[in-house]
């Protein structure tokens, strides 16, 4: 896979049983790039390791006053220099390609999992952790995939050089062959502690990211209650904990780096001491001593990749663990579906509560429990996060359809919709039937003042659709964000539209106009609105009261508000004491009326007797 060919047509199904299994799965799917990087790595490292032999050959040629051998040594060194340059360039190119393609694969997997889970994702994983996985963790995972091929090439080169030195000069080669493995494994006892400290640092960093995300998201509310300093102090403490953890982790890695410098130096001293002793005895030549010394000195270069792969694995393992945790999340129902991909039509029915939304009608649902209303709205959309009885559309169970077909048939707008950053045109550029234009949707959602606000806040935006929306619409009020989200839902023009409290942050005058707009624009389409607003309820063709998980009453607003106390308690916010007082007052009025009738009858009887 080349960078210009991204994104992947299909990133595959990951092995998310654990972090190491996920890394191994990722490595196997990057096998072609790994082998390419390994080949160029061998060219580069072998060429680097070949220089000492050329240098030693040249030194011995000078000692022997042999011009031919000196020229041959020079040619060998030029060839090694060319191979070093070529191998290094191509190794860097292939390694970076592996890094970017691996990171892109992980990001695609995360994006696909997010799309499958929908709102269920944030219920199971904190928002800060999702941010950490999709940014820093993806980079760490890509780093390990990129470093593994270079480490493999370096390890093979070290083995080849040790074998070559032993064949070239056994007396010194045996010292190098024994010392190099000691250098490679010397830091292994320190790696578990370094890994634990790295894990602790990543945990603290994830907590700080989560706290920062929550603080930014609630900044408007915090300012309203004067709580900015409280949360800023919390973030300061969290950031200091991250700093202390990072310092402790860096200290351990500094110790490992120091050992990686100290031990090769000791090995070099041992080789020089032994070589000088052998040279004085005449058992080796000066050129052979220079060759072995240079080889040991240059071996520190590939040996540094042993430290790098240890660091890469230590940092990527917790990142892969978090990514695997997110990728292992599944919806309660099968997203592939057991039926063919069709878009059903007809009445929407929920067997669990008995709710029926007739086709082509505007049905309002009143539910005193907001959490129960949210779960019911999610169930009506098909493929809910929790297992349970499936809703039926035209008699077809929604959770038996593929997720794409279900979402085409039923669109659910929850009570806290998200506005992505970009232009208003991009916000409204969603899959739609084409029957409803952006202008019609914006007008029905009463977004006139929102457009004016966006144009004033955007430079060079003559067309309101080109106005920019900040991330999550932070520059807009809650009611303005709600209306833009409603306009986006209306543009899609689905067969069934489910709205959960779409006007809770809107004033009553605007709410009345929105109710008219929804009713007019959705004429002939099935619309379900979860609300307790009398203005919306009065425009509904059918009102359903859900009490304790079941349909308790069905009718129209003006009828239910007079005949159903439980409905009136939710819609008018009437308390039980107030309802009892009204009931007693009505009873007293009834008794007074009865006394008046009896008194009139007695007067009539007296008059007739007289």
């Amino acid at each position: 896979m080349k960078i210009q060919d991204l994104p992947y047509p299909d990133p595959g199904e990951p092995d998310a049983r654990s972090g190491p299994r996920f890394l191994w799965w990722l490595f196997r799917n990057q096998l072609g790039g790994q082998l390419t990087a390994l080949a160029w790595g061998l060219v580069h490292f072998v060429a680097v390791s070949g220089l000492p032999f050329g240098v030693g050959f040249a030194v011995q040629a000078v000692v022997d006053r042999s011009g031919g051998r000196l020229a041959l040594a020079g040619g060998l060194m030029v060839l090694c220099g060319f191979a070093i340059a070529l191998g290094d360039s191509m190794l860097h190119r292939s390694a970076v390609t592996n890094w970017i393609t691996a990171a892109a694969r992980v990001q695609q997997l995360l994006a696909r999992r997010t799309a499958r889970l929908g709102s269920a994702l944030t219920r199971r994983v904190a928002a800060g952790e999702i941010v950490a996985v999709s940014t820093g963790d993806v980079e760490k995972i890509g780093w390990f995939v990129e470093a593994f091929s270079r480490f493999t090439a370096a390890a093979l080169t070290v083995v080849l050089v040790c074998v070559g030195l032993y064949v070239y000069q056994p007396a010194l080669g045996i010292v190098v062959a024994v010392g190099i493995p000691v250098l490679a494994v010397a830091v292994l006892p320190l790696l578990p502690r370094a890994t634990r400290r790295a894990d602790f640092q990543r945990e603290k960093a994830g907590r700080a990211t989560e706290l920062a995300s929550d603080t930014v998201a609630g900044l408007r509310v915090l300012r309203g209650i004067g709580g900015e300093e409280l949360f800023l102090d919390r973030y300061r403490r969290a950031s200091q904990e991250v700093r202390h953890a990072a310092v402790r982790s860096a200290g351990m890695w500094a110790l490992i780096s120091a050992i990686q410098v100290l031990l090769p130096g000791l090995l070099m001293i041992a080789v020089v001491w032994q070589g000088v002793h052998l040279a004085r005895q005449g058992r080796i030549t000066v050129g052979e001593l220079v060759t072995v010394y240079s080889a040991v000195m240059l071996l520190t270069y590939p040996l540094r990749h042993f430290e790098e792969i240890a660091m890469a694995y230590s940092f990527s393992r917790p990142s892969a663990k978090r990514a695997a945790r997110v990728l292992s999340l599944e919806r309660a129902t099968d997203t592939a579906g057991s039926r063919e991909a069709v878009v059903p039509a007809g009445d929407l029915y929920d067997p669990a509560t008995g709710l029926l939304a007739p086709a082509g009608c505007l049905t309002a649902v009143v539910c005193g429990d907001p959490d129960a209303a949210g779960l019911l709205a999610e169930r009506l959309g098909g493929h809910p996060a929790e297992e349970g009885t499936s809703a039926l559309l035209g008699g077809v169970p929604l959770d038996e359809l593929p997720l794409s077909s279900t979402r085409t048939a039923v669109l659910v707008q929850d009570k806290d919709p998200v506005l992505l950053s970009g232009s208003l045109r991009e916000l409204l550029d969603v899959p739609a039937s084409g029957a409803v234009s952006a202008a019609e949707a914006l007008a029905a959602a009463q977004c006139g003042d929102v457009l004016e606000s966006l144009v004033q806040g955007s430079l060079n935006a003559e067309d309101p659709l080109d106005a920019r929306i900040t991330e999550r619409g932070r520059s807009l009020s809650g009611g303005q964000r709600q209306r833009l989200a409603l306009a986006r839902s209306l543009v899609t023009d689905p067969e069934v539209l489910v709205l959960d409290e779409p006007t809770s942050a809107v004033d009553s005058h605007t709410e009345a106009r929105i109710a008219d707009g929804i009713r007019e624009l959705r004429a002939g389409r099935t619309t379900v609105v979860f609300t307790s607003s009398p203005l919306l309820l009065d425009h509904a063709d059918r009102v359903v009261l859900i009490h304790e998980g079941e349909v308790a009453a069905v009718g129209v607003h003006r009828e239910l508000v007079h005949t159903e106390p439980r409905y009136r308690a939710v819609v008018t916010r009437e308390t039980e004491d107030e309802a009892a007082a009204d009931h007693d007052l009505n009873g007293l009025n009834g008794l007074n009326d009865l006394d008046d009738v009896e008194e009139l009858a007695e007067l009539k009887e007296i008059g007739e007797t007289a």
Side-chain angles (χ1 to χ4, degrees), residues 447-495:
C447 293
D449 63 313
V450 185
L451 299 181
E452 294 177 2
S453 176
L454 289 174
V455 170
Q456 292 175 359
S458 300
L459 297 176
N460 303 323
E462 298 179 359
D463 187 345
L465 291 179
D466 293 328
R468 302 292 297 179
I469 300 175
T470 57
E471 183 185 0
R472 300 182 69 92
R474 288 196 303 266
S475 61
L476 303 173
S477 67
Q480 290 174 328
R481 290 195 298 269
Q482 251 185 0
R483 282 178 279 165
L484 283 180
L486 176 60
R488 179 178 58 187
S489 299
L490 293 174
V491 164
T492 60
D493 189 38
E495 183 68 29

Side-chain angles (χ1 to χ4, degrees), residues 225-452:
I225 62 176
E228 307 108 299
E229 288 302 322
L230 174 62
F231 275 80
L232 286 176
D233 287 341
R234 290 181 181 177
Y235 181 73
R236 289 190 189 99
R237 290 194 296 270
S239 63
Q240 289 301 312
E241 290 177 358
V242 174
R243 184 179 68 84
H244 289 307
V247 169
R248 294 185 72 248
S249 179
M252 182 56 65
W253 288 111
L255 176 60
I256 292 175
S257 297
I259 293 175
Q260 291 287 342
V261 173
L262 174 64
L263 294 184
L266 295 177
L267 177 62
M268 196 174 299
I269 292 173
V271 169
V272 171
W273 182 84
Q274 179 69 9
V276 170
H277 180 69
L278 294 175
R280 291 176 61 183
Q281 294 179 350
R283 297 172 58 183
I284 63 172
T285 64
V286 174
E288 292 173 337
L289 176 61
V290 171
T291 297
V292 176
Y293 170 78
S294 301
V296 173
M297 183 178 64
L298 289 179
L299 273 180
T300 58
Y301 172 54
L303 279 174
R304 285 206 302 267
H305 291 80
F306 285 70
E307 177 189 351
E308 182 191 13
I309 194 63
M311 291 183 64
Y313 181 73
S314 297
F315 280 94
S316 66
R317 188 178 64 83
S319 297
K321 181 180 179 181
R322 280 192 291 269
R325 177 170 175 257
V326 175
L327 294 174
S328 64
L329 297 177
E330 295 286 350
R331 297 185 69 89
T333 52
D334 181 16
T335 55
S338 57
R339 292 175 178 257
E340 60 179 340
V342 297
V343 180
D347 297 342
L348 181 63
Y349 177 67
D350 177 46
T353 59
L355 171 64
L356 174 66
C361 294
L362 173 58
T363 302
V365 180
V366 177
C367 186
D369 184 356
D371 294 333
L375 293 175
L376 176 55
E378 186 181 59
R379 191 161 62 245
L380 293 178
H383 297 276
E386 306 295 336
E387 293 186 2
T389 306
S390 172
L392 308 176
L393 179 59
V396 178
L398 290 174
D399 62 3
E400 295 182 6
L401 293 172
L403 185 59
S404 58
S405 299
T406 302
R407 289 183 172 171
T408 301
V410 184
L411 173 66
V412 179
Q413 176 183 304
D414 60 24
K415 63 184 63 179
D416 187 22
V418 175
L419 301 181
L420 302 179
S421 58
S423 67
L424 182 57
R425 192 185 306 278
E426 292 170 341
L427 176 70
L428 300 178
D429 184 18
V430 292
S433 66
V436 178
S437 66
E440 291 174 331
L442 290 169
Q446 299 299 309
C447 293
D449 63 313
V450 185
L451 299 181
E452 294 177 2

